[in-house]
Structures are given as structure tokens and as C-alpha cells.
Amino acid sequence: DAKTTQPPSMDCAEGRAANLPCNHSTISGNEYVYWYRQIHSQGPQYIIHGLKNNETNEMASLIITEDRKSSTLILPHATLRDTAVYYCIGARLNYGGSQGNLIFGKGTKLSVKP
Amino acid sequence: DGGITQSPKYLFRKEGQNVTLSCEQNLNHDAMYWYRQDPGQGLRLIYYSQIVNDFQKGDIAEGYSVSREKKESFPLTVTSAQKNPTAFYLCASLDPTISTEAFFGQGTRLTVV
């Protein structure tokens, strides 16, 4: 499974877009990029995932570079409730075979400030 | 409602005692995971199970044991051999045939005194 690298912390003003970067230069062709977030003392929550194309859902947008070596999670209008640790993970989607581990690094601590 | 449940939320034990943390899911997921989280740190994988009656060690399995006798349940035992058992423990499950979107429980905070 791909190793990912994220900045340890970021600040964002409330109402502005939060852009969280992730480097995954060793990602293989069949590994998806997943993003989770963890609000203090709770279990992580799934946000979004993608393979090659950019993705958008009600929570966020995911921009993956053409060479797939990096990606950016975008929270378009950050609120105070978006303050959390954000994890970027490379993981395989495997039909019926052995599933790769879900390896979480230290993530990025996003602080949204009023 | 479908979900994954960990119990208890807080657990206190004396040093030298074994303790078992519960993780139950009704999502019909084959794969289940146990993670440990220390203050200010990321999640570290303890054990995982792809299917009933099968499990593999993660990165920090020493001092822990698991069983997977039922699809719904994946209990974790913290043994007296674990040198620093005080931590936040998280259980997760997913269906790898559909997605690697993992569902997490709310965690158990274990304190050993």
C-alpha cells in the first residue's frame, strides 16, 4: 500500500476554502486515494475517494494530479465544525481477494478559525 | 440502524490484568480492523481479519490477541504482556468487494493504573 505524506498542521479562516495536500508518489495503478477525518476523540469518518478523475460529493472535492503522485482535498467553505485531523490513504479496492491494510499516517490537523 | 459498536467507551484496569474490548457490527462486513491511537498520533494497526476464523497481525500486534468466531464480532484482548496499554482503541469494518470505505466505532479509551 502506498505511503502518503501530509503536512502536520494547517489553519483556515471560517468560510474560506481549505485545501489539504497529500503526496503519494509510490501509489500503484490499482490503489485509490481515500480521505478520512477524525474529530477529537471520535472514530474517523469517511470523506471521499478517487482513482484518477476528480471527485466531488456533498462534503468535499478531491483533485488528483494526472500522474497520480499527489492530491488535494478541498473543503469549499470551511466551518468551525471542520476542525479535525484529516488522513490521506492509498488503498486497493479488491474484489474477493485479500484486502490491503488501511494504513493511517499522522494526518493533517486542520484548525478552522473564526 | 446498521453500524459498528464498541463497548465500553471508557475502561479502567489494574496493571497486570488482561482486558477484552468489544467490537460488534451489523453491516455484514467481512473485514474488520483494530487500531491503537496515542495522544497526538495517528492510528496504528494492531490486527485485522479478512474473514471469519482468519486474522493477521498488524504493525503492533505484540501484547494483543484477537478472535473472529463470528462475522459480526472481533474482540480484542489486551494482555499483561502489552507494556503500555493505556490508549484509545478503534475498531473498523468494511466490505472490500464493494468499497474500502471503512466504518469506525466510537472507540474505547483504556486506562491502566
Side-chain angles (χ1 to χ4, degrees):
Chain A
D1 298 305
K3 177 176 164 51
T4 61
T5 305
Q6 299 176 254
S9 64
M10 291 182 64
D11 290 341
C12 178
E14 188 178 18
R16 304 300 292 267
N19 299 299
L20 291 92
C22 178
N23 287 323
H24 34 77
S25 57
T26 61
I27 198 169
S28 61
N30 63 350
E31 283 185 302
Y32 285 69
V33 179
Y34 277 76
W35 283 84
Y36 288 79
R37 73 178 182 185
Q38 185 180 24
I39 296 171
H40 183 62
S41 294
Q42 296 183 22
Q45 174 193 22
Y46 164 83
I47 301 173
I48 198 168
H49 74 281
L51 184 63
K52 288 189 286 189
N53 299 323
N54 298 336
E55 302 287 345
T56 295
N57 63 19
E58 65 278 3
M59 289 182 69
S61 295
L62 174 61
I63 309 297
I64 302 174
T65 59
E66 194 169 337
D67 62 8
R68 299 207 335 119
K69 292 186 177 181
S70 65
S71 61
T72 301
L73 178 75
I74 301 171
L75 308 178
H77 305 287
T79 71
L80 299 179
R81 287 179 294 180
D82 291 323
T83 292
V85 177
Y86 288 77
Y87 298 98
C88 168
I89 302 164
R92 293 191 305 276
L93 179 63
N94 200 311
Y95 294 96
S98 62
Q99 174 64 40
N101 297 340
L102 291 178
I103 306 298
F104 287 75
K106 294 185 180 180
T108 296
K109 181 174 172 55
L110 176 68
S111 298
V112 180
K113 300 181 184 300
Chain B
D1 288 336
I4 179 165
T5 303
Q6 290 184 244
S7 60
K9 189 170 176 63
Y10 298 96
L11 189 56
F12 295 87
R13 279 294 182 269
K14 290 184 178 180
E15 193 172 344
Q17 288 182 335
N18 291 355
V19 59
T20 298
L21 282 59
S22 170
C23 179
E24 303 279 332
Q25 53 96 2
N26 60 3
L27 300 164
N28 200 36
H29 286 170
D30 283 318
M32 297 186 74
Y33 300 77
W34 273 107
Y35 293 90
R36 168 184 173 135
Q37 188 172 38
D38 293 287
Q41 302 296 312
L43 282 67
R44 291 186 291 168
L45 184 64
I46 306 173
Y47 268 98
Y48 67 102
S49 169
Q50 307 280 7
I51 199 166
V52 174
N53 293 322
D54 184 60
F55 48 83
Q56 281 79 42
K57 293 181 179 180
D59 299 321
I60 55 164
E62 185 175 351
Y64 299 97
S65 66
V66 293
S67 63
R68 187 81 188 279
E69 297 176 1
K70 298 187 299 182
K71 190 175 188 177
E72 302 81 16
S73 179
F74 191 40
L76 173 74
T77 297
V78 185
T79 75
S80 56
Q82 168 50 234
K83 300 302 181 191
N84 296 297
T86 294
F88 187 50
Y89 290 88
L90 285 158
C91 179
S93 73
L94 62 87
D95 184 344
T97 63
I98 298 175
S99 169
T100 43
E101 176 186 345
F103 292 80
F104 281 83
Q106 288 304 297
T108 293
R109 189 167 298 281
L110 173 65
T111 302
V112 175
V113 296

